[in-house]
Amino acid sequence: MTIPAAVGSDPVELPLGDFHPASGGVIRDARLRYRIFGDAALGHANGWILVFHALTGNADIDGWWGSVLGPGRALDTSRHAIVAANLLGSCYGSSGPAELSDGSFPVLTTADLALAHVPLIQALGIQHIALATGGSLGGMVALQWGRLTPVPVDRLVIFAAPARTSAQAIGWNGAQRMAIEADAAWENGAYPAGAGPQAGLAAARAIAMITYRSVTEFEQRFGRRQTRNPGQFDVDHYLRRHGQKLVERFDARSYVSLMQAMDSHDVGDLSAAGRQTAWRVREVVGVGIDSDILYYPREIRDWVAGYAAAGVTARYEEIRSDYGHDAFLIEFDQVERLLGDGRTDRE
């Protein structure tokens, strides 16, 4: 099936048919909701840019990477077309567990999330990708895309994502699931639309926010101050506010589903994964964040070295920031340079 490429930013839904995850089960009549920024004709002429979003992100990259999107920016709409889809399992229009009230949505892997984009690439008639990129969960999916892409990719830029999820990162996610499961409204995921474990999801998000930022930022930004509410530390107020904000826009079932995909993330043997990537991708850039306590910089360095040893043109770069893991969503100047030419400024 070929469908016309949408010009502009209105969401479009692509039917995938029945999708069969690697772990078993099936998503009946699956669909992928996506957006295109820029003129599809430019994408066909100069190459497309493919962007994968993070855990609670979405295809609205103008909302979270807007500073690097547009004419003359790293995601250059005057030269390329940019496409982003809501990941399977999320709750922003693509097929996800929020549509089922019985908790029967199958377990997904990051490879599944990447493979779900293959029909989109085919439907849009994309034959060449100039840049594929993403951060955190989006970086994991992008790393899998390097192994699985059906079309050549010039550059693959991976922000703050390991080749396999560490026990510590799985532990952080496990603590978040415990918070959700401790809420009586969780009901093993079998709750009706509009209901669910709001307190549990808010607590899970608070735990996550601790891993997304750094000790340095928390000390500088909050310290032991109590300026918001008497008797409440500012950092406590901050975490509760972010928990409530997520409750207002996200579904706990999708949160658990995508965390499971992150936990199982593993590209396998680095030599084999590197060889698979080498003949599909011209250049790979792995980007660590010096203050990241969720996916430590050494984890990115390790897979970059493994890929390079396998024959991939790969190198490591680093964002320097006090913001921790979330720096790829905050340090726009550094992200711009990395997406644009693949290098951070060197002193």
Side-chain angles (χ1 to χ4, degrees):
M1 178 182 64
T2 301
I3 59 175
V7 178
S9 58
D10 291 336
V12 182
E13 288 191 0
L14 174 69
L16 302 178
D18 290 346
F19 185 85
H20 297 270
S23 62
V26 60
I27 304 174
R28 298 290 183 191
D29 299 319
R31 68 186 183 282
L32 208 62
R33 180 176 291 181
Y34 68 94
R35 295 182 66 188
I36 290 176
F37 300 84
D39 189 340
L42 291 174
H44 295 313
N46 302 317
W48 288 69
I49 294 175
L50 176 61
V51 178
F52 301 101
H53 66 74
L55 173 60
T56 63
N58 52 43
D60 302 333
I61 54 178
D62 51 336
W64 49 272
W65 254 3
S67 294
V68 300
L69 171 70
R73 309 298 306 203
L75 305 182
D76 189 353
T77 52
S78 67
R79 180 169 174 77
H80 303 282
I82 294 91
V83 60
N86 293 312
L87 296 176
L88 283 184
S90 190
C91 53
Y92 287 114
S94 296
S95 296
E99 300 167 21
L100 304 174
S101 59
D102 60 359
S104 63
F105 193 76
V107 175
L108 298 173
T109 67
T110 52
D112 292 328
L113 301 182
L115 285 170
H117 286 68
V118 172
L120 175 60
I121 297 302
Q122 295 170 338
L124 294 177
I126 295 174
Q127 298 182 0
H128 168 218
I129 293 175
L131 170 67
T133 187
S136 195
L137 171 58
M140 296 176 182
V141 179
L143 197 56
Q144 298 282 18
W145 183 257
R147 300 174 48 240
L148 302 169
T149 175
V151 298
V153 177
D154 290 343
R155 296 179 61 244
L156 186 66
V157 181
I158 310 295
F159 291 92
R164 59 183 60 87
T165 303
S166 70
Q168 183 180 30
I170 293 170
W172 282 117
N173 285 347
Q176 294 181 64
R177 281 190 293 274
M178 288 174 65
I180 290 171
E181 292 164 1
D183 189 323
W186 168 238
E187 297 183 5
N188 201 31
Y191 55 84
Q198 296 186 8
L201 180 58
R205 184 62 164 184
I207 295 169
M209 290 304 300
I210 296 170
T211 73
Y212 295 161
R213 300 305 178 100
S214 75
V215 172
T216 300
E217 186 204 1
F218 270 34
E219 284 299 323
Q220 291 177 347
R221 185 172 179 181
F222 304 115
R224 294 179 57 81
R225 292 184 290 277
Q226 301 181 30
T227 62
R228 295 285 187 171
N229 296 310
Q232 182 186 42
F233 288 107
D234 287 357
V235 66
D236 185 3
H237 177 272
Y238 168 84
L239 294 174
R240 291 174 184 275
R241 181 170 60 85
H242 273 274
Q244 185 56 41
K245 286 171 64 176
L246 185 70
V247 166
E248 292 170 357
R249 69 177 180 87
F250 214 75
D251 183 78
R253 287 169 293 211
S254 285
Y255 198 74
V256 169
S257 177
L258 293 179
M259 279 198 299
Q260 289 174 329
M262 297 173 79
D263 286 351
S264 68
H265 171 67
D266 188 349
V267 301
D269 178 76
L270 289 180
S271 295
R275 289 192 297 270
Q276 291 172 325
T277 302
W279 66 270
R280 290 176 166 91
V281 182
R282 191 178 69 187
E283 179 187 34
V284 178
V285 181
V287 183
I289 298 168
D290 64 355
S291 56
D292 195 341
I293 64 168
L294 182 58
Y295 304 122
Y296 290 91
R298 66 174 180 273
E299 298 180 69
I300 290 83
R301 288 195 194 97
D302 286 348
W303 72 251
V304 169
Y307 271 37
V312 181
T313 300
R315 71 173 184 277
Y316 175 79
E317 294 288 340
E318 193 164 279
I319 291 176
R320 298 166 183 172
S321 173
D322 289 339
Y323 289 114
H325 181 70
D326 269 356
F328 76 93
L329 297 169
I330 299 171
E331 300 283 6
F332 294 122
D333 288 346
Q334 295 184 66
V335 170
E336 177 89 24
R337 287 190 293 271
L338 288 161
L339 291 175
D341 62 17
R343 296 186 184 277
T344 50
D345 283 349
R346 297 296 186 187
E347 294 180 0

